[in-house]
Amino acid sequence: MTKSFYDKSFVYRRTRRSAVGVKTWLAVFAVLLVVAGCSVSLAGEPGIAELPVQHDGRVKPIDTFARVLLLSVYGKRSLPDMSALDWYFEVAADKPAFRTRPIFHLRNPELVYALQLPERKKRLYTFEELSEATLKHRDYLHELYQKEYEQRSLIERQLVETYIGQLRVDEVRRSFSCLLAVFKIQNPELAAEFDLQPNQAASYYYFAQRSDVLEKVIDSIRSKEEEEWNARDLEIVQLVNALNRVRQDLSANGAAVVPARADSPTGEWRSPWALMNSPKLSNEERQTLDTWAAILEAESNGRRDSANGKVAELFETFAANRGGVAMDSRLRLETWMSRTELFYKSVAAYIAGFLVLGASWLVWPNFLRRCSLALLILGVSLHGGGLLVRMLVMGRPPVSTLYESVIFVGFIGALTGLIVELVRHDGFGLIVGNVMGAVLHFVGFSYAADGDTMGMLVAVLDSNFWLATHVVTITIGYGCALVAGLVGHVYLFRAALPGDHRKVLSALSRNMNGLNLVALFFTLFGTILGGIWADQSWGRFWGWDPKENGALLIVMWQLMLIHGRLAGYTGPRGMAAGLILNNIVVALAWFGVNLLNVGLHSYGFTDSVAMKLAAFCLLEIALASGGYFLARRRAASPA
Amino acid sequence: MMLRSLLRALSHPRVFFFCCIWLIVLLTVGTIAQRDLGLYLAQEKYFSSWFLFVGFLPLPGGRLTMLLTFINLALFHTKKTLWRPKKIGVLITHFGALLLLVGGFLTAYFSSEGTMVINEGETVSFVSSDEVKELVLADQNHPDYDEITAIPEALLKVGSTLTHPNIPGSFEVLEYYRNCRPVPRKNQDSGPYRGLAERFELERIPEAQERQQNRAGIVLKVSGIDEQNDGIYALYERSPMLQTLSDGQRTVALVLRRERTYLPFSLELLDFQQNLHPGTGMAKSYRSIVNLHQGETSRRVVIQMNEPLRLAGRTFFQASFFKGNNTETTVLQVVKNYGRMFPYISSIIMCIGLLIHLVIKVPGLIAKKKSESNA
């Protein structure tokens, strides 16, 4: 007979009591870890990672911007040998290394053929290679770009994506070209007129600030014939030509790092070039540009310390201009969040917890199970901490996008598992918690691969009490329903195994009913709260919108299971199979309705979701029906 | 006796069980059908219908299923076994559900939806129904106003004849379309045709996915005026051509339009504002700033996303907008619903009921052993 985690021999009263002490300490330790990590990162001076940039409607640290940009071209948030931030400054400072670094990952060999690039195993190309290729095929790419998104084939979409990726990287480079000190004047006389030493490098911005001097100097040679030009005059012409060449980047608008003025109607931040023509810069604007110029200078010489040292002062200026309101705390929190990658750590804890639990069924049951519990507690703390930090950074409730709902449901599942474990002490809650936490994290990561996970919301989703309560409640309901479904799996698995499990099965059956009731509570109120929100926003409680129908479908399914049991139609086996199938209903209501692409709720459409969803449904149907029949055969035959 | 056993059968949980399964089927099929039919038509076919015809076979539609559920639920409350302290949570929850269904019934039969379209600077005091049309006769013989006679859609039945002192001659309704389009006239058999009908006839087309896209149409036979005016007229919604009748004393324009309900107050659009997330094309908020004129007084009101104006039993929501070259137009959704408060009340009741039930039940259901829960 197989050893099982439900067997009595696995539970000792003594270990249980001592485990409480260990658990408490572990929990306290985990929370302290998160808090300590948080406060450590917020103490000390801000660095260049925290420099603010406005992008996609919000002000974010340049570090986040760099990660998302790199993700969009390279497919990952960092390069093998350098961070996204380092890479970003390599681009911004236009270091030669940037042009020869392979950073463009072409997703499909067909792209390589279409762009006539050299064939490579990893399909990684440098900026130089790709810009040459896109230049060669520019007309074709522009034609594709003009087409509607729906009209493009997959390969055409990817071509446009690649092209846009290359343009965006280039846009970042061009956006800072006015701040790079690349112009040198040899003539001492001329240099002195611009307050420069001979051969001292200065930027376009430097000369733009001294436009009156430049005008005067240019005027001085206007009257002369070309043959009369002396060395100074020749250098003026060279300088003006060089300045004009850089001036081609004037339209570059890929780095909105200069804060909007207080009287700006749109609140739009501006890229350095947008200020080059302004006759009068505000103190804040000048300081921002000066600081950026100094940082780029330091970066291009490889002096990171000196670059970091210039940031604190800039933040002081920002704060002074905003009546003392500091801007950096959220930015720092966000940078810290993306650096620590709490969710990667929590998923690691869940996986480790599950593996350790598996090991506990083979050797050292008590010790390993406690270790597994500790890992689950750690995972839940990190997971919850991550959610909390996100809430602080965004200043909004934990769930407002599909990605957030996935992460939140994972948290609820893990938390439910933890609570169940703390009540039962038999390893069952550990399975539920670790599996839910880990699986939904992975689902979440696939959504995070789309870019910035903290995007802004469309008008109707913005700041509403009912929305906040509705979404949180319904996602808790999803979580509980999935946990109940997981118990359904366990029930059928146990019932199909040889041996006498009546005690265990009756306990599990009660668990299923209980969890289903809890899940019903949340899905029902989540759905009704959704209706109330719709009534507040659109004037109708119920509009038979796909998302609403999906939520109602879950509620009806759960009600059907409960009343089927009361009416005597479904026994525990049927209940278990029904709860497994409920997972399908949840998945379809959660992700599936977005595929229908109709109605007010279709905000999270993704191309590849359909396949994964279908695979999930088939798997669950197979598990439910297979488990059901095996369990029935087992019950029919005398053990 | 028979009645009693019927009632007993109807109050059994299995009725709900089957209703539930059928609703699940309807919901699934109806939701998928929305992809092709659009939200509104699918709703009419599957969810708000009494019967659903698959070929010749009438199947219960959403409304019938919900009525059955309602009866089942109502009868359920007569059970003696339910009125016990242990079941208090169950009882309260089911009562809340009953209220929710009552609210749904009130909303389905007594609510009305319409829109109010206001250009910037304009004042509007009526709501146009989303669903119901009216045939309007505008008597243009008064120097500074038109005298309007509106014939409600309910009277525009095919085959009926309309007479009224305000109607010149008499109208016979030959055709009525919920959605149609004008096409060049092919048959000439039953003339004489007047106005638009001289060169065009109306062709019935399937209802559009969005109700607002429908163009209702009507074909009228006018008789009893004189040679020049008697004949067949065709009217359709939002037609660019104004058609008139004249009986010597007065000239009357005929218009088919969305039914208007006049309000005891009016709204003047001062400004429509759309804010974007900085540096993007993504809307952050929309708002209409209006002057609410009530009698002699007026007051400034802001209607925006999630913040409607509630007045005189109606609620005005920011629904949509148009932007012209130099004008802005706001579209307000206007809803009148007597069942509005039911979901709020019933959800509180159900919440309390389920919580009580959970507190009674769940500790025993989560715990590992039965004995622990009883201890």
Side-chain angles (χ1 to χ4, degrees):
Chain A
M1 194 183 137
T2 40
K3 276 196 175 184
S4 92
F5 47 95
Y6 287 114
D7 283 352
K8 260 240 141 139
S9 60
F10 278 62
V11 187
Y12 303 138
R13 285 207 170 270
R14 262 189 71 220
T15 58
R16 205 191 289 178
R17 207 160 286 143
S18 67
V20 172
V22 174
K23 270 180 296 194
T24 320
W25 285 115
L26 278 171
V28 170
F29 174 71
V31 170
L32 281 179
L33 202 73
V34 174
V35 172
C38 221
S39 48
V40 162
S41 79
L42 296 184
E45 299 277 294
I48 51 169
E50 279 94 13
L51 283 168
V53 59
Q54 190 183 55
H55 180 240
D56 280 348
R58 74 183 179 100
V59 175
K60 49 176 91 165
I62 207 91
D63 181 62
T64 303
F65 181 87
R67 282 166 195 262
V68 174
L69 181 65
L70 190 60
L71 180 72
S72 72
V73 295
Y74 183 66
K76 288 187 190 143
R77 287 186 163 80
S78 64
L79 291 163
D81 51 348
M82 76 194 308
S83 71
L85 188 73
D86 293 343
W87 169 74
Y88 182 86
F89 276 97
E90 191 175 273
V91 177
D94 202 0
K95 291 198 208 174
F98 140 66
R99 286 160 192 277
T100 52
R101 192 179 292 286
I103 47 155
F104 292 96
H105 177 245
L106 302 198
R107 288 207 267 168
N108 192 329
E110 284 189 60
L111 299 176
V112 177
Y113 306 147
L115 293 173
Q116 289 176 289
L117 283 161
E119 289 171 34
R120 270 174 216 158
K121 214 173 196 173
K122 278 187 159 175
R123 294 195 296 278
L124 281 173
Y125 297 89
T126 65
F127 179 79
E128 215 166 51
E129 288 170 318
L130 195 66
S131 3
E132 217 171 277
T134 49
L135 189 67
K136 223 187 308 179
H137 301 274
R138 207 170 65 175
D139 294 340
Y140 171 61
L141 290 168
H142 272 267
E143 214 168 286
L144 290 185
Y145 187 72
Q146 301 297 330
K147 273 204 211 176
E148 295 265 330
Y149 183 79
E150 285 77 25
Q151 307 290 317
R152 298 179 201 147
S153 68
L154 179 68
I155 186 81
E156 288 173 340
R157 282 178 196 178
Q158 291 179 344
L159 273 171
V160 172
E161 214 172 89
T162 310
Y163 183 42
I164 290 177
Q166 186 249 325
L167 288 180
R168 282 174 60 198
V169 171
D170 198 30
E171 181 100 356
V172 168
R173 179 191 67 78
R174 293 175 18 187
S175 293
F176 290 109
S177 58
C178 56
L179 298 181
L180 299 182
V182 289
F183 307 104
K184 290 180 181 169
I185 300 174
Q186 278 155 4
N187 189 303
E189 227 180 291
L190 186 63
E193 281 186 70
F194 288 103
D195 301 327
L196 289 169
Q197 300 296 322
N199 270 333
Q200 186 189 350
S203 63
Y204 183 96
Y205 167 55
Y206 185 89
F207 290 103
Q209 289 290 87
R210 286 155 188 80
S211 56
D212 47 340
V213 183
L214 196 61
E215 295 272 316
K216 213 174 68 195
V217 168
I218 295 171
D219 276 342
S220 71
I221 61 166
R222 278 237 168 92
S223 49
K224 290 191 190 172
E225 291 296 320
E226 222 164 301
E227 298 85 62
E228 297 172 34
W229 284 352
N230 56 25
R232 171 182 175 272
D233 299 339
L234 266 175
E235 196 156 13
I236 292 170
V237 174
Q238 278 164 7
L239 177 67
V240 169
N241 284 340
L243 286 173
N244 276 336
R245 267 200 301 280
V246 174
R247 206 185 146 76
Q248 289 175 349
D249 293 339
L250 184 63
S251 63
N253 187 23
V257 295
V258 186
R261 289 187 183 181
D263 55 0
S264 149
T266 56
E268 214 168 306
W269 287 34
R270 287 181 291 172
S271 291
W273 272 108
L275 298 158
M276 288 304 128
N277 280 342
S278 304
K280 222 174 155 221
L281 296 181
S282 74
N283 186 33
E284 186 180 59
E285 287 163 348
R286 188 173 316 111
Q287 191 119 16
T288 311
L289 292 177
D290 288 345
T291 310
W292 266 96
I295 288 171
L296 291 175
E297 166 90 42
E299 278 292 320
S300 62
N301 296 325
R303 295 200 313 267
R304 174 60 57 89
D305 283 350
S306 140
N308 278 334
K310 304 199 168 17
V311 177
E313 204 182 332
L314 184 63
F315 275 119
E316 270 163 37
T317 315
F318 289 158
N321 266 355
R322 278 158 189 72
V325 182
M327 190 195 270
D328 53 332
S329 56
R330 272 192 186 187
L331 295 167
R332 278 204 233 178
L333 199 58
E334 185 174 343
T335 327
W336 178 75
M337 188 182 77
S338 34
R339 282 224 189 105
T340 46
E341 295 182 320
L342 282 177
F343 292 151
Y344 284 105
K345 290 190 174 125
S346 57
V347 78
Y350 290 138
I351 293 172
F354 187 74
L355 292 178
V356 170
L357 179 68
S360 81
W361 300 333
L362 305 172
V363 284
W364 306 325
N366 287 310
F367 173 69
L368 286 181
R369 210 179 53 235
R370 260 184 289 158
C371 289
S372 174
L373 178 63
L375 284 165
L376 179 61
I377 292 175
L378 183 68
V380 168
S381 316
L382 291 168
H383 200 158
L387 283 170
L388 197 68
V389 174
R390 281 185 65 95
M391 282 168 68
L392 290 176
V393 170
M394 298 302 296
R396 68 186 188 205
V399 194
S400 38
T401 63
L402 204 53
Y403 167 77
E404 288 171 333
S405 75
V406 175
I407 294 294
F408 189 71
V409 169
F411 176 68
I412 292 301
L415 192 63
T416 314
L418 183 60
I419 291 169
V420 169
E421 180 61 24
L422 292 181
V423 175
R424 300 172 48 123
H425 313 280
D426 62 355
F428 174 65
L430 293 177
I431 303 188
V432 171
N434 285 319
V435 168
M436 288 277 295
V439 168
L440 285 167
H441 257 325
F442 280 110
V443 176
F445 292 150
S446 71
Y447 275 95
D450 291 345
D452 189 2
T453 58
M454 302 205 280
M456 301 314 285
L457 302 172
V458 292
V460 71
L461 294 178
D462 212 7
S463 70
N464 184 286
F465 168 75
W466 291 108
L467 172 64
T469 46
H470 151 64
V471 177
V472 172
T473 317
I474 197 114
T475 28
I476 292 177
Y478 288 168
C480 292
L482 292 178
V483 171
L486 205 57
V487 182
H489 284 97
V490 174
Y491 180 92
L492 286 186
F493 178 69
R494 297 284 305 180
L497 281 184
D500 180 17
H501 310 291
R502 262 172 298 178
K503 241 188 200 157
V504 175
L505 289 180
S506 87
L508 275 175
S509 165
R510 274 182 296 118
N511 292 165
M512 290 191 299
N513 295 335
L515 281 168
N516 192 30
L517 265 183
V518 176
L520 173 68
F521 177 80
F522 286 107
T523 48
L524 179 62
F525 292 108
T527 309
I528 293 182
L529 284 172
I532 288 177
W533 165 48
D535 181 63
Q536 297 273 326
S537 305
W538 299 314
R540 89 282 186 290
F541 175 74
W542 198 258
W544 302 103
D545 180 282
K547 196 81 186 175
E548 292 169 346
N549 293 351
L552 183 61
L553 210 54
I554 303 176
V555 173
M556 299 306 293
W557 191 272
Q558 287 163 341
L559 283 175
M560 180 194 78
L561 289 177
I562 289 171
H563 291 83
R565 192 169 66 87
L566 291 175
Y569 286 113
T570 39
R573 267 195 308 274
M575 187 75 175
L579 285 174
I580 296 177
L581 296 178
N582 192 29
N583 282 355
I584 299 183
V585 182
V586 171
L588 288 178
W590 196 1
F591 304 108
V593 289
N594 292 327
L595 301 178
L596 279 172
N597 223 11
V598 286
L600 297 156
H601 283 92
S602 50
Y603 42 72
F605 185 81
T606 334
D607 279 335
S608 66
V609 173
M611 285 301 292
K612 290 178 190 158
L613 209 54
F616 175 75
C617 293
L618 287 178
L619 178 73
E620 289 290 57
I621 289 173
L623 284 177
S625 51
Y628 181 82
F629 286 111
L630 284 178
R632 203 171 66 166
R633 212 173 58 183
R634 165 71 29 208
S637 68
Chain B
M1 217 45 205
M2 261 225 342
L3 184 71
R4 178 166 283 189
S5 60
L6 177 72
L7 287 183
R8 183 176 299 152
L10 273 176
S11 70
H12 197 273
R14 78 164 70 96
V15 176
F16 181 75
F17 179 70
F18 286 116
C19 283
C20 218
I21 292 181
W22 184 242
L23 271 180
I24 288 173
V25 172
L26 279 179
L27 266 176
T28 314
V29 176
T31 308
I32 294 170
Q34 286 178 336
R35 197 195 164 97
D36 301 320
L37 292 177
L39 285 186
Y40 178 68
L41 283 183
Q43 177 189 334
E44 283 218 317
K45 183 170 174 192
Y46 293 96
F47 308 136
S48 337
S49 59
W50 288 100
F51 288 100
L52 170 72
F53 287 91
V54 178
F56 293 105
L57 196 67
L59 296 172
R63 199 156 282 178
L64 184 61
T65 318
M66 273 190 266
L67 179 69
L68 211 58
T69 312
F70 177 78
I71 294 170
N72 173 243
L73 200 53
L75 290 174
F76 177 72
H77 288 79
T78 63
K79 296 216 158 181
K80 281 207 190 87
T81 50
L82 196 68
W83 296 85
R84 280 185 306 183
K86 243 175 111 180
K87 295 272 183 183
I88 182 83
V90 176
L91 190 68
I92 296 176
T93 311
H94 284 80
F95 180 68
L98 200 65
L99 278 185
L100 194 65
L101 285 172
V102 172
F105 171 78
L106 285 177
T107 306
Y109 284 96
F110 297 105
S111 76
S112 63
E113 286 185 22
T115 46
M116 200 165 183
V117 181
I118 321 173
N119 295 325
E120 225 164 48
E122 253 182 28
T123 304
V124 172
S125 65
F126 61 84
V127 179
S128 307
S129 166
D130 284 351
E131 180 64 22
V132 189
K133 317 290 177 198
E134 63 185 8
L135 177 63
V136 167
L137 288 76
D139 185 345
Q140 299 174 323
N141 281 22
H142 307 277
D144 29 301
Y145 62 94
D146 285 354
E147 189 183 338
I148 301 280
T149 308
I151 305 168
E153 192 181 24
L155 296 179
L156 303 175
K157 292 211 175 72
V158 174
S160 61
T161 306
L162 308 166
T163 51
H164 187 269
N166 283 4
I167 299 178
S170 73
F171 292 177
E172 189 190 343
V173 182
L174 297 182
E175 298 284 355
Y176 188 82
Y177 308 109
R178 280 166 66 97
N179 191 19
C180 68
R181 64 170 179 219
V183 291
R185 176 161 293 287
K186 280 171 241 140
N187 69 46
Q188 292 283 357
D189 14 292
S190 54
Y193 299 102
R194 304 279 178 237
L196 175 105
E198 277 179 46
R199 281 190 289 135
F200 292 96
E201 62 185 19
L202 300 183
E203 183 185 68
R204 185 190 300 277
I205 52 175
E207 284 184 55
Q209 290 206 350
E210 300 285 331
R211 263 190 299 187
Q212 290 89 336
Q213 290 167 358
N214 285 343
R215 283 171 194 268
I218 190 168
V219 180
L220 290 173
K221 185 172 183 182
V222 177
S223 49
I225 309 177
D226 57 30
E227 191 83 353
Q228 268 140 34
N229 287 289
D230 282 359
I232 291 174
Y233 289 79
L235 302 165
Y236 64 92
E237 250 187 297
R238 303 193 295 279
S239 152
M241 180 174 166
L242 191 66
Q243 306 185 62
T244 53
L245 290 176
S246 173
D247 66 351
Q249 304 158 14
R250 53 190 172 172
T251 308
V252 175
L254 294 174
V255 180
L256 185 66
R257 67 178 188 198
R258 292 162 68 173
E259 187 181 68
R260 289 183 181 179
T261 308
Y262 283 84
L263 304 171
F265 52 85
S266 60
L267 297 181
E268 176 188 3
L269 181 63
L270 299 175
D271 190 18
F272 176 80
Q273 297 170 345
Q274 179 189 21
N275 291 324
L276 299 177
H277 285 297
T280 65
M282 194 167 157
K284 191 172 182 214
S285 64
Y286 312 102
R287 48 201 248 147
S288 299
I289 298 170
V290 296
N291 244 343
L292 166 66
H293 300 288
Q294 244 174 327
E296 295 297 298
T297 62
S298 68
R299 130 175 103 94
R300 196 168 163 277
V301 176
V302 176
I303 300 176
Q304 56 185 329
M305 223 33 131
N306 296 330
E307 279 178 39
L309 163 71
R310 297 184 199 281
L311 194 66
R314 288 187 170 77
T315 315
F316 297 76
F317 298 88
Q318 181 67 57
S320 181
F321 66 95
F322 311 118
K323 268 196 162 161
N325 285 337
N326 40 28
T327 62
E328 285 169 334
T329 305
T330 189
V331 180
L332 302 177
Q333 179 82 11
V334 185
V335 180
K336 191 175 186 181
N337 184 2
Y338 296 104
R340 215 191 132 235
M341 288 317 290
F342 277 82
Y344 292 77
I345 298 165
S346 80
S347 66
I348 292 169
I349 293 176
M350 282 164 85
C351 190
I352 293 168
L354 256 185
L355 267 183
I356 293 173
H357 188 62
L358 283 176
V359 167
I360 295 172
K361 278 282 199 188
V362 162
L365 291 172
I366 297 285
K368 208 163 72 179
K369 277 185 278 167
K370 221 167 202 156
S371 57
E372 280 176 359
S373 66
N374 295 341

